[in-house]
C-alpha cells in the first residue's frame, strides 16, 4: 500500500493554474517559448497529444503542442484547449487579418493618400485592405506609372497632417524605379516597394493554381508573356480578373507586399 506523500512545495513557489482558452479559428496567440505569434488555423489530435497550428502575418505555419501554460493571449499566460462543438464564435476578421468591427462607419477621408502604380495594384489593395482603409479614412489612388513621381509629390504638397505613401513595383537596387524613388526626399512622404515586376507576382502561385510565375524574356510585354507561358488566352484584363478572384485574404499574398502596404497605412495614419 502506497503511503501518502504530502506536497511540501511552499505556496509562493506553486504556479497558479492558467485559464483554459478554446483554440478557436483566428484566435491570435503567442507561443510562450519561441515567441511565435499567429492565428489559430486548426487543432489536431496526435499520438503525442493535441497540437495547434498557428499562421503568422506572413503566411508562415508552425505546429505547437498544446501544453499547459504554453501560450500568451494579450500578454496573459493561458492554456489552449480543443474547442468544443457549438462553442462561442471568435470575432470575425477582415481580409487583411484585422479584427472586424461590426457596423463600423467609414471615416471621412484623410488629407493623406496612398499612391500605387496602376489599377491592378489599387484593386488588390481594395480586395485585401478595403475594410481597414475605410475605417481609417485612407484613399488609394493609382498613377499609371511613376516616371513623374517627383513632380506628382510636389503637386500633392505633403505635410504633417497630409502624409503621402507611395507603393512602387520592382523597387530593387539599380532599377529605374529605385533611381526615381531616390529623388523623393520629403520627410512627409514614404516610398516603399516590392521586388516583383508587376503586382501579379505578389499573389502566391499556389492561390492562382499554378506552379510558379514564368520568367518572361526581356523585350516582351510581361503580362502577355505570362499569359502565353501559362497557356491562358492573351487577354491581360481577363487574366487579371482570374488572378484577383483567387485572392480571398492576406494569406494569398506574398509577405514582401503585405509588409509594405501595412507600413504605408501606418505611415499615413500617424497623428500629426
Amino acid at each position: 500500500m502506497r503511503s501518502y506523500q504530502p506536497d511540501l512545495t511552499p505556496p509562493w513557489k506553486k504556479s497558479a493554474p492558467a485559464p483554459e482558452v478554446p483554440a478557436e479559428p483566428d484566435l491570435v496567440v503567442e507561443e510562450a517559448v519561441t515567441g511565435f505569434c499567429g492565428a489559430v488555423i486548426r487543432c489536431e489530435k496526435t499520438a503525442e497529444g493535441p497540437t495547434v497550428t498557428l499562421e503568422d502575418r506572413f503566411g508562415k505555419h508552425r505546429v505547437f503542442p498544446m501544453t499547459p501554460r504554453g501560450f500568451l493571449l494579450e500578454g496573459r499566460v493561458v492554456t489552449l484547449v480543443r474547442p468544443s462543438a457549438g462553442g462561442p464564435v471568435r470575432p470575425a476578421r477582415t481580409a487583411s487579418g484585422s479584427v472586424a468591427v461590426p457596423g463600423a462607419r467609414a471615416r471621412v477621408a484623410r488629407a493623406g493618400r496612398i499612391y500605387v502604380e496602376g489599377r491592378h495594384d489599387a484593386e488588390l489593395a481594395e480586395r485585401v485592405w478595403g475594410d481597414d482603409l475605410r475605417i481609417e479614412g485612407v484613399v488609394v489612388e493609382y498613377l499609371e506609372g511613376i516616371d513623374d513621381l517627383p513632380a506628382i509629390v510636389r503637386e500633392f504638397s505633403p505635410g504633417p497632417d497630409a502624409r503621402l505613401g507611395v507603393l512602387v513595383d520592382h523597387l530593387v537596387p539599380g532599377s529605374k524605379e529605385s533611381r526615381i524613388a531616390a529623388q523623393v526626399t520629403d520627410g512627409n512622404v514614404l516610398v516603399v516597394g516590392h521586388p516583383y515586376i508587376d503586382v501579379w507576382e505578389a499573389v502566391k502561385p499556389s492561390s492562382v493554381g499554378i506552379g510558379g510565375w514564368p520568367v518572361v524574356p526581356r523585350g516582351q510585354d510581361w503580362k502577355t508573356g505570362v499569359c502565353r507561358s501559362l497557356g491562358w488566352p492573351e487577354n491581360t484584363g481577363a487574366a487579371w480578373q482570374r488572378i484577383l478572384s483567387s485572392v480571398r485574404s492576406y494569406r494569398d499574398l506574398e509577405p514582401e507586399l503585405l509588409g509594405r502596404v501595412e507600413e504605408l497605412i501606418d505611415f499615413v495614419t500617424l497623428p500629426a
Side-chain angles (χ1 to χ4, degrees), residues 221-264:
D221 177 73
W222 188 83
K223 292 177 180 177
T224 303
V226 166
C227 293
R228 187 177 300 130
S229 297
L230 294 175
W232 295 354
E234 293 183 19
N235 180 330
T236 58
W240 170 242
Q241 291 306 313
R242 177 175 182 168
I243 296 165
L244 184 62
S245 67
S246 71
V247 177
R248 294 166 294 279
S249 75
Y250 71 97
R251 297 186 179 98
D252 297 304
L253 301 182
E254 299 287 1
E256 289 83 356
L257 176 66
L258 287 173
R260 301 296 75 74
V261 174
E262 293 185 2
E263 189 177 352
L264 291 177

mmCIF file of all heavy atoms in Angstrom, residues 221-264:
data_model
loop_
_atom_site.group_PDB
_atom_site.id
_atom_site.type_symbol
_atom_site.label_atom_id
_atom_site.label_comp_id
_atom_site.label_asym_id
_atom_site.label_seq_id
_atom_site.Cartn_x
_atom_site.Cartn_y
_atom_site.Cartn_z
ATOM 1 N N ASP A 221 6.260 42.063 -73.698
ATOM 2 C CA ASP A 221 5.330 42.566 -72.700
ATOM 3 C C ASP A 221 5.154 41.492 -71.628
ATOM 4 O O ASP A 221 4.797 40.345 -71.940
ATOM 5 C CB ASP A 221 3.984 42.897 -73.344
ATOM 6 C CG ASP A 221 2.963 43.346 -72.316
ATOM 7 O OD1 ASP A 221 3.080 44.470 -71.823
ATOM 8 O OD2 ASP A 221 2.046 42.544 -71.991
ATOM 9 N N TRP A 222 5.413 41.859 -70.374
ATOM 10 C CA TRP A 222 5.470 40.854 -69.305
ATOM 11 C C TRP A 222 4.130 40.149 -69.117
ATOM 12 O O TRP A 222 4.062 38.919 -69.045
ATOM 13 C CB TRP A 222 5.917 41.499 -67.997
ATOM 14 C CG TRP A 222 6.176 40.496 -66.916
ATOM 15 C CD1 TRP A 222 7.312 39.769 -66.715
ATOM 16 C CD2 TRP A 222 5.241 40.079 -65.910
ATOM 17 N NE1 TRP A 222 7.150 38.928 -65.639
ATOM 18 C CE2 TRP A 222 5.893 39.092 -65.117
ATOM 19 C CE3 TRP A 222 3.940 40.432 -65.596
ATOM 20 C CZ2 TRP A 222 5.275 38.474 -64.040
ATOM 21 C CZ3 TRP A 222 3.315 39.823 -64.521
ATOM 22 C CH2 TRP A 222 3.983 38.850 -63.756
ATOM 23 N N LYS A 223 3.063 40.896 -69.065
ATOM 24 C CA LYS A 223 1.757 40.279 -68.802
ATOM 25 C C LYS A 223 1.327 39.367 -69.952
ATOM 26 O O LYS A 223 0.816 38.271 -69.724
ATOM 27 C CB LYS A 223 0.715 41.361 -68.552
ATOM 28 C CG LYS A 223 0.942 42.135 -67.262
ATOM 29 C CD LYS A 223 -0.070 43.250 -67.097
ATOM 30 C CE LYS A 223 0.185 44.019 -65.802
ATOM 31 N NZ LYS A 223 -0.730 45.166 -65.641
ATOM 32 N N THR A 224 1.560 39.832 -71.172
ATOM 33 C CA THR A 224 1.221 38.992 -72.324
ATOM 34 C C THR A 224 2.076 37.730 -72.324
ATOM 35 O O THR A 224 1.585 36.630 -72.607
ATOM 36 C CB THR A 224 1.431 39.763 -73.636
ATOM 37 O OG1 THR A 224 0.637 40.952 -73.613
ATOM 38 C CG2 THR A 224 1.054 38.925 -74.840
ATOM 39 N N GLY A 225 3.362 37.893 -71.969
ATOM 40 C CA GLY A 225 4.252 36.735 -71.905
ATOM 41 C C GLY A 225 3.822 35.736 -70.851
ATOM 42 O O GLY A 225 3.943 34.519 -71.042
ATOM 43 N N VAL A 226 3.309 36.229 -69.727
ATOM 44 C CA VAL A 226 2.807 35.339 -68.677
ATOM 45 C C VAL A 226 1.619 34.536 -69.201
ATOM 46 O O VAL A 226 1.549 33.313 -69.034
ATOM 47 C CB VAL A 226 2.410 36.149 -67.423
ATOM 48 C CG1 VAL A 226 1.575 35.291 -66.467
ATOM 49 C CG2 VAL A 226 3.648 36.661 -66.702
ATOM 50 N N CYS A 227 0.688 35.205 -69.848
ATOM 51 C CA CYS A 227 -0.491 34.511 -70.390
ATOM 52 C C CYS A 227 -0.060 33.438 -71.389
ATOM 53 O O CYS A 227 -0.563 32.304 -71.363
ATOM 54 C CB CYS A 227 -1.427 35.506 -71.063
ATOM 55 S SG CYS A 227 -2.211 36.687 -69.937
ATOM 56 N N ARG A 228 0.889 33.793 -72.244
ATOM 57 C CA ARG A 228 1.350 32.858 -73.280
ATOM 58 C C ARG A 228 2.020 31.648 -72.631
ATOM 59 O O ARG A 228 1.761 30.500 -73.011
ATOM 60 C CB ARG A 228 2.306 33.579 -74.213
ATOM 61 C CG ARG A 228 2.742 32.778 -75.440
ATOM 62 C CD ARG A 228 3.633 33.631 -76.335
ATOM 63 N NE ARG A 228 2.928 34.818 -76.797
ATOM 64 C CZ ARG A 228 3.412 36.060 -76.725
ATOM 65 N NH1 ARG A 228 4.591 36.268 -76.183
ATOM 66 N NH2 ARG A 228 2.726 37.082 -77.181
ATOM 67 N N SER A 229 2.864 31.886 -71.640
ATOM 68 C CA SER A 229 3.589 30.789 -70.992
ATOM 69 C C SER A 229 2.661 29.853 -70.229
ATOM 70 O O SER A 229 2.902 28.644 -70.151
ATOM 71 C CB SER A 229 4.648 31.349 -70.038
ATOM 72 O OG SER A 229 5.627 32.088 -70.727
ATOM 73 N N LEU A 230 1.601 30.417 -69.663
ATOM 74 C CA LEU A 230 0.672 29.607 -68.870
ATOM 75 C C LEU A 230 -0.426 28.974 -69.714
ATOM 76 O O LEU A 230 -1.241 28.211 -69.199
ATOM 77 C CB LEU A 230 0.041 30.465 -67.764
ATOM 78 C CG LEU A 230 1.000 30.975 -66.673
ATOM 79 C CD1 LEU A 230 0.262 31.906 -65.718
ATOM 80 C CD2 LEU A 230 1.634 29.823 -65.913
ATOM 81 N N GLY A 231 -0.432 29.309 -71.011
ATOM 82 C CA GLY A 231 -1.465 28.745 -71.870
ATOM 83 C C GLY A 231 -2.812 29.398 -71.693
ATOM 84 O O GLY A 231 -3.843 28.814 -72.050
ATOM 85 N N TRP A 232 -2.825 30.619 -71.136
ATOM 86 C CA TRP A 232 -4.066 31.362 -70.980
ATOM 87 C C TRP A 232 -4.318 32.177 -72.250
ATOM 88 O O TRP A 232 -3.375 32.523 -72.972
ATOM 89 C CB TRP A 232 -3.985 32.319 -69.794
ATOM 90 C CG TRP A 232 -3.846 31.676 -68.453
ATOM 91 C CD1 TRP A 232 -3.905 30.345 -68.161
ATOM 92 C CD2 TRP A 232 -3.604 32.349 -67.214
ATOM 93 N NE1 TRP A 232 -3.726 30.132 -66.825
ATOM 94 C CE2 TRP A 232 -3.538 31.347 -66.204
ATOM 95 C CE3 TRP A 232 -3.446 33.675 -66.843
ATOM 96 C CZ2 TRP A 232 -3.321 31.654 -64.870
ATOM 97 C CZ3 TRP A 232 -3.229 33.992 -65.515
ATOM 98 C CH2 TRP A 232 -3.163 32.987 -64.540
ATOM 99 N N PRO A 233 -5.579 32.539 -72.533
ATOM 100 C CA PRO A 233 -5.833 33.467 -73.633
ATOM 101 C C PRO A 233 -5.051 34.765 -73.415
ATOM 102 O O PRO A 233 -4.923 35.237 -72.276
ATOM 103 C CB PRO A 233 -7.349 33.698 -73.558
ATOM 104 C CG PRO A 233 -7.883 32.481 -72.875
ATOM 105 C CD PRO A 233 -6.828 32.076 -71.889
ATOM 106 N N GLU A 234 -4.528 35.331 -74.476
ATOM 107 C CA GLU A 234 -3.696 36.536 -74.337
ATOM 108 C C GLU A 234 -4.576 37.773 -74.179
ATOM 109 O O GLU A 234 -4.543 38.714 -74.971
ATOM 110 C CB GLU A 234 -2.749 36.642 -75.520
ATOM 111 C CG GLU A 234 -1.711 35.521 -75.527
ATOM 112 C CD GLU A 234 -0.707 35.639 -76.657
ATOM 113 O OE1 GLU A 234 -0.576 36.750 -77.227
ATOM 114 O OE2 GLU A 234 -0.062 34.628 -76.991
ATOM 115 N N ASN A 235 -5.349 37.741 -73.106
ATOM 116 C CA ASN A 235 -6.228 38.837 -72.725
ATOM 117 C C ASN A 235 -5.855 39.200 -71.295
ATOM 118 O O ASN A 235 -6.264 38.530 -70.346
ATOM 119 C CB ASN A 235 -7.691 38.394 -72.823
ATOM 120 C CG ASN A 235 -8.678 39.497 -72.449
ATOM 121 O OD1 ASN A 235 -8.385 40.371 -71.638
ATOM 122 N ND2 ASN A 235 -9.858 39.446 -73.043
ATOM 123 N N THR A 236 -5.027 40.239 -71.141
ATOM 124 C CA THR A 236 -4.487 40.535 -69.812
ATOM 125 C C THR A 236 -5.568 40.990 -68.842
ATOM 126 O O THR A 236 -5.456 40.762 -67.636
ATOM 127 C CB THR A 236 -3.382 41.600 -69.913
ATOM 128 O OG1 THR A 236 -3.902 42.793 -70.526
ATOM 129 C CG2 THR A 236 -2.211 41.085 -70.735
ATOM 130 N N GLY A 237 -6.631 41.631 -69.358
ATOM 131 C CA GLY A 237 -7.714 42.028 -68.470
ATOM 132 C C GLY A 237 -8.415 40.822 -67.874
ATOM 133 O O GLY A 237 -8.671 40.766 -66.667
ATOM 134 N N ALA A 238 -8.702 39.827 -68.705
ATOM 135 C CA ALA A 238 -9.352 38.609 -68.213
ATOM 136 C C ALA A 238 -8.415 37.832 -67.298
ATOM 137 O O ALA A 238 -8.843 37.243 -66.299
ATOM 138 C CB ALA A 238 -9.783 37.739 -69.399
ATOM 139 N N ALA A 239 -7.115 37.852 -67.635
ATOM 140 C CA ALA A 239 -6.142 37.152 -66.792
ATOM 141 C C ALA A 239 -6.097 37.775 -65.398
ATOM 142 O O ALA A 239 -6.039 37.060 -64.388
ATOM 143 C CB ALA A 239 -4.766 37.196 -67.445
ATOM 144 N N TRP A 240 -6.125 39.098 -65.338
ATOM 145 C CA TRP A 240 -6.097 39.757 -64.030
ATOM 146 C C TRP A 240 -7.342 39.426 -63.214
ATOM 147 O O TRP A 240 -7.248 39.196 -62.001
ATOM 148 C CB TRP A 240 -5.958 41.264 -64.194
ATOM 149 C CG TRP A 240 -6.167 42.002 -62.907
ATOM 150 C CD1 TRP A 240 -7.132 42.914 -62.618
ATOM 151 C CD2 TRP A 240 -5.399 41.839 -61.694
ATOM 152 N NE1 TRP A 240 -7.022 43.344 -61.314
ATOM 153 C CE2 TRP A 240 -5.964 42.702 -60.733
ATOM 154 C CE3 TRP A 240 -4.298 41.067 -61.345
ATOM 155 C CZ2 TRP A 240 -5.461 42.800 -59.442
ATOM 156 C CZ3 TRP A 240 -3.794 41.156 -60.052
ATOM 157 C CH2 TRP A 240 -4.373 42.023 -59.110
ATOM 158 N N GLN A 241 -8.488 39.383 -63.835
ATOM 159 C CA GLN A 241 -9.696 39.028 -63.095
ATOM 160 C C GLN A 241 -9.604 37.608 -62.555
ATOM 161 O O GLN A 241 -10.075 37.322 -61.455
ATOM 162 C CB GLN A 241 -10.931 39.195 -63.984
ATOM 163 C CG GLN A 241 -11.255 40.642 -64.326
ATOM 164 C CD GLN A 241 -11.383 41.518 -63.087
ATOM 165 O OE1 GLN A 241 -12.046 41.152 -62.114
ATOM 166 N NE2 GLN A 241 -10.737 42.675 -63.124
ATOM 167 N N ARG A 242 -8.978 36.743 -63.311
ATOM 168 C CA ARG A 242 -8.766 35.369 -62.844
ATOM 169 C C ARG A 242 -7.854 35.370 -61.622
ATOM 170 O O ARG A 242 -8.099 34.643 -60.644
ATOM 171 C CB ARG A 242 -8.152 34.554 -63.970
ATOM 172 C CG ARG A 242 -7.804 33.126 -63.627
ATOM 173 C CD ARG A 242 -7.315 32.386 -64.863
ATOM 174 N NE ARG A 242 -6.999 30.989 -64.595
ATOM 175 C CZ ARG A 242 -6.774 30.087 -65.538
ATOM 176 N NH1 ARG A 242 -6.840 30.431 -66.819
ATOM 177 N NH2 ARG A 242 -6.496 28.838 -65.206
ATOM 178 N N ILE A 243 -6.800 36.165 -61.671
ATOM 179 C CA ILE A 243 -5.856 36.243 -60.553
ATOM 180 C C ILE A 243 -6.515 36.880 -59.342
ATOM 181 O O ILE A 243 -6.430 36.372 -58.217
ATOM 182 C CB ILE A 243 -4.602 37.028 -60.971
ATOM 183 C CG1 ILE A 243 -3.844 36.291 -62.075
ATOM 184 C CG2 ILE A 243 -3.681 37.275 -59.774
ATOM 185 C CD1 ILE A 243 -2.813 37.151 -62.792
ATOM 186 N N LEU A 244 -7.189 38.006 -59.565
ATOM 187 C CA LEU A 244 -7.804 38.731 -58.453
ATOM 188 C C LEU A 244 -8.868 37.884 -57.761
ATOM 189 O O LEU A 244 -8.990 37.920 -56.528
ATOM 190 C CB LEU A 244 -8.413 40.034 -58.970
ATOM 191 C CG LEU A 244 -9.015 40.976 -57.930
ATOM 192 C CD1 LEU A 244 -7.946 41.448 -56.950
ATOM 193 C CD2 LEU A 244 -9.680 42.170 -58.594
ATOM 194 N N SER A 245 -9.627 37.109 -58.515
ATOM 195 C CA SER A 245 -10.673 36.280 -57.919
ATOM 196 C C SER A 245 -10.097 35.172 -57.043
ATOM 197 O O SER A 245 -10.815 34.597 -56.212
ATOM 198 C CB SER A 245 -11.552 35.668 -59.017
ATOM 199 O OG SER A 245 -10.813 34.743 -59.798
ATOM 200 N N SER A 246 -8.807 34.866 -57.205
ATOM 201 C CA SER A 246 -8.175 33.829 -56.384
ATOM 202 C C SER A 246 -7.705 34.379 -55.044
ATOM 203 O O SER A 246 -7.275 33.605 -54.177
ATOM 204 C CB SER A 246 -6.993 33.217 -57.137
ATOM 205 O OG SER A 246 -5.914 34.126 -57.226
ATOM 206 N N VAL A 247 -7.756 35.684 -54.863
ATOM 207 C CA VAL A 247 -7.308 36.314 -53.617
ATOM 208 C C VAL A 247 -8.499 36.472 -52.681
ATOM 209 O O VAL A 247 -9.439 37.217 -52.975
ATOM 210 C CB VAL A 247 -6.662 37.689 -53.893
ATOM 211 C CG1 VAL A 247 -6.274 38.374 -52.578
ATOM 212 C CG2 VAL A 247 -5.448 37.540 -54.794
ATOM 213 N N ARG A 248 -8.462 35.751 -51.568
ATOM 214 C CA ARG A 248 -9.536 35.824 -50.586
ATOM 215 C C ARG A 248 -9.109 36.578 -49.333
ATOM 216 O O ARG A 248 -9.942 37.148 -48.647
ATOM 217 C CB ARG A 248 -9.998 34.407 -50.211
ATOM 218 C CG ARG A 248 -10.664 33.667 -51.379
ATOM 219 C CD ARG A 248 -10.804 32.191 -51.136
ATOM 220 N NE ARG A 248 -9.494 31.532 -51.075
ATOM 221 C CZ ARG A 248 -8.801 31.181 -52.158
ATOM 222 N NH1 ARG A 248 -9.288 31.416 -53.359
ATOM 223 N NH2 ARG A 248 -7.622 30.596 -52.040
ATOM 224 N N SER A 249 -7.828 36.544 -49.025
ATOM 225 C CA SER A 249 -7.337 37.237 -47.839
ATOM 226 C C SER A 249 -5.834 37.445 -47.972
ATOM 227 O O SER A 249 -5.222 37.077 -48.987
ATOM 228 C CB SER A 249 -7.623 36.410 -46.571
ATOM 229 O OG SER A 249 -6.731 35.305 -46.476
ATOM 230 N N TYR A 250 -5.244 38.022 -46.917
ATOM 231 C CA TYR A 250 -3.805 38.268 -46.899
ATOM 232 C C TYR A 250 -2.998 36.991 -47.069
ATOM 233 O O TYR A 250 -1.845 37.026 -47.511
ATOM 234 C CB TYR A 250 -3.408 38.951 -45.588
ATOM 235 C CG TYR A 250 -3.477 38.043 -44.374
ATOM 236 C CD1 TYR A 250 -2.337 37.398 -43.895
ATOM 237 C CD2 TYR A 250 -4.676 37.830 -43.697
ATOM 238 C CE1 TYR A 250 -2.388 36.574 -42.792
ATOM 239 C CE2 TYR A 250 -4.736 37.004 -42.596
ATOM 240 C CZ TYR A 250 -3.595 36.379 -42.143
ATOM 241 O OH TYR A 250 -3.657 35.550 -41.053
ATOM 242 N N ARG A 251 -3.581 35.839 -46.759
ATOM 243 C CA ARG A 251 -2.864 34.577 -46.873
ATOM 244 C C ARG A 251 -2.510 34.250 -48.317
ATOM 245 O O ARG A 251 -1.648 33.416 -48.576
ATOM 246 C CB ARG A 251 -3.685 33.433 -46.271
ATOM 247 C CG ARG A 251 -3.964 33.578 -44.778
ATOM 248 C CD ARG A 251 -4.665 32.336 -44.238
ATOM 249 N NE ARG A 251 -4.931 32.441 -42.815
ATOM 250 C CZ ARG A 251 -6.080 32.805 -42.283
ATOM 251 N NH1 ARG A 251 -7.097 33.105 -43.076
ATOM 252 N NH2 ARG A 251 -6.242 32.874 -40.974
ATOM 253 N N ASP A 252 -3.192 34.898 -49.264
ATOM 254 C CA ASP A 252 -2.930 34.625 -50.680
ATOM 255 C C ASP A 252 -1.850 35.536 -51.267
ATOM 256 O O ASP A 252 -1.547 35.428 -52.455
ATOM 257 C CB ASP A 252 -4.220 34.785 -51.496
ATOM 258 C CG ASP A 252 -5.283 33.777 -51.078
ATOM 259 O OD1 ASP A 252 -4.984 32.563 -51.121
ATOM 260 O OD2 ASP A 252 -6.390 34.195 -50.690
ATOM 261 N N LEU A 253 -1.280 36.415 -50.455
ATOM 262 C CA LEU A 253 -0.280 37.360 -50.941
ATOM 263 C C LEU A 253 1.090 37.069 -50.344
ATOM 264 O O LEU A 253 1.213 36.539 -49.233
ATOM 265 C CB LEU A 253 -0.683 38.792 -50.591
ATOM 266 C CG LEU A 253 -2.025 39.281 -51.137
ATOM 267 C CD1 LEU A 253 -2.247 40.730 -50.744
ATOM 268 C CD2 LEU A 253 -2.104 39.109 -52.642
ATOM 269 N N GLU A 254 2.119 37.453 -51.079
ATOM 270 C CA GLU A 254 3.489 37.276 -50.619
ATOM 271 C C GLU A 254 3.811 38.314 -49.532
ATOM 272 O O GLU A 254 3.330 39.459 -49.575
ATOM 273 C CB GLU A 254 4.476 37.441 -51.781
ATOM 274 C CG GLU A 254 4.298 36.433 -52.910
ATOM 275 C CD GLU A 254 4.765 35.032 -52.532
ATOM 276 O OE1 GLU A 254 5.208 34.831 -51.386
ATOM 277 O OE2 GLU A 254 4.673 34.135 -53.402
ATOM 278 N N PRO A 255 4.640 37.942 -48.545
ATOM 279 C CA PRO A 255 4.945 38.862 -47.451
ATOM 280 C C PRO A 255 5.632 40.143 -47.897
ATOM 281 O O PRO A 255 5.503 41.177 -47.242
ATOM 282 C CB PRO A 255 5.857 38.029 -46.529
ATOM 283 C CG PRO A 255 6.333 36.881 -47.360
ATOM 284 C CD PRO A 255 5.257 36.618 -48.355
ATOM 285 N N GLU A 256 6.358 40.098 -49.025
ATOM 286 C CA GLU A 256 7.047 41.302 -49.498
ATOM 287 C C GLU A 256 6.071 42.413 -49.859
ATOM 288 O O GLU A 256 6.423 43.598 -49.812
ATOM 289 C CB GLU A 256 7.927 40.976 -50.711
ATOM 290 C CG GLU A 256 9.158 40.150 -50.399
ATOM 291 C CD GLU A 256 8.883 38.653 -50.322
ATOM 292 O OE1 GLU A 256 7.702 38.245 -50.430
ATOM 293 O OE2 GLU A 256 9.850 37.886 -50.150
ATOM 294 N N LEU A 257 4.851 42.055 -50.220
ATOM 295 C CA LEU A 257 3.821 43.070 -50.472
ATOM 296 C C LEU A 257 3.048 43.383 -49.201
ATOM 297 O O LEU A 257 2.771 44.550 -48.910
ATOM 298 C CB LEU A 257 2.857 42.590 -51.559
ATOM 299 C CG LEU A 257 1.678 43.538 -51.852
ATOM 300 C CD1 LEU A 257 2.186 44.846 -52.457
ATOM 301 C CD2 LEU A 257 0.655 42.889 -52.765
ATOM 302 N N LEU A 258 2.715 42.374 -48.423
ATOM 303 C CA LEU A 258 1.926 42.580 -47.210
ATOM 304 C C LEU A 258 2.563 43.615 -46.291
ATOM 305 O O LEU A 258 1.910 44.565 -45.858
ATOM 306 C CB LEU A 258 1.791 41.264 -46.450
ATOM 307 C CG LEU A 258 0.866 40.193 -47.025
ATOM 308 C CD1 LEU A 258 1.006 38.908 -46.229
ATOM 309 C CD2 LEU A 258 -0.562 40.678 -47.032
ATOM 310 N N GLY A 259 3.830 43.415 -46.007
ATOM 311 C CA GLY A 259 4.511 44.312 -45.076
ATOM 312 C C GLY A 259 4.560 45.738 -45.561
ATOM 313 O O GLY A 259 4.412 46.686 -44.792
ATOM 314 N N ARG A 260 4.739 45.911 -46.883
ATOM 315 C CA ARG A 260 4.878 47.264 -47.424
ATOM 316 C C ARG A 260 3.551 48.025 -47.373
ATOM 317 O O ARG A 260 3.525 49.211 -47.045
ATOM 318 C CB ARG A 260 5.403 47.211 -48.856
ATOM 319 C CG ARG A 260 6.752 46.526 -49.031
ATOM 320 C CD ARG A 260 7.910 47.237 -48.339
ATOM 321 N NE ARG A 260 7.912 47.067 -46.896
ATOM 322 C CZ ARG A 260 8.259 45.940 -46.271
ATOM 323 N NH1 ARG A 260 8.601 44.875 -46.979
ATOM 324 N NH2 ARG A 260 8.266 45.882 -44.963
ATOM 325 N N VAL A 261 2.451 47.367 -47.712
ATOM 326 C CA VAL A 261 1.159 48.053 -47.679
ATOM 327 C C VAL A 261 0.807 48.445 -46.249
ATOM 328 O O VAL A 261 0.355 49.564 -45.983
ATOM 329 C CB VAL A 261 0.053 47.179 -48.305
ATOM 330 C CG1 VAL A 261 -1.317 47.846 -48.124
ATOM 331 C CG2 VAL A 261 0.327 46.947 -49.780
ATOM 332 N N GLU A 262 1.025 47.545 -45.305
ATOM 333 C CA GLU A 262 0.696 47.869 -43.922
ATOM 334 C C GLU A 262 1.599 48.983 -43.394
ATOM 335 O O GLU A 262 1.167 49.817 -42.591
ATOM 336 C CB GLU A 262 0.801 46.608 -43.075
ATOM 337 C CG GLU A 262 -0.274 45.592 -43.458
ATOM 338 C CD GLU A 262 -0.301 44.370 -42.560
ATOM 339 O OE1 GLU A 262 0.490 44.328 -41.610
ATOM 340 O OE2 GLU A 262 -1.113 43.473 -42.817
ATOM 341 N N GLU A 263 2.843 49.020 -43.855
ATOM 342 C CA GLU A 263 3.751 50.104 -43.482
ATOM 343 C C GLU A 263 3.215 51.448 -43.977
ATOM 344 O O GLU A 263 3.268 52.453 -43.262
ATOM 345 C CB GLU A 263 5.127 49.818 -44.083
ATOM 346 C CG GLU A 263 6.237 50.726 -43.617
ATOM 347 C CD GLU A 263 7.587 50.338 -44.207
ATOM 348 O OE1 GLU A 263 7.673 49.275 -44.862
ATOM 349 O OE2 GLU A 263 8.538 51.102 -44.026
ATOM 350 N N LEU A 264 2.680 51.467 -45.191
ATOM 351 C CA LEU A 264 2.131 52.704 -45.741
ATOM 352 C C LEU A 264 0.883 53.144 -44.982
ATOM 353 O O LEU A 264 0.703 54.334 -44.696
ATOM 354 C CB LEU A 264 1.806 52.522 -47.227
ATOM 355 C CG LEU A 264 3.006 52.365 -48.168
ATOM 356 C CD1 LEU A 264 2.537 52.112 -49.586
ATOM 357 C CD2 LEU A 264 3.905 53.599 -48.122
#
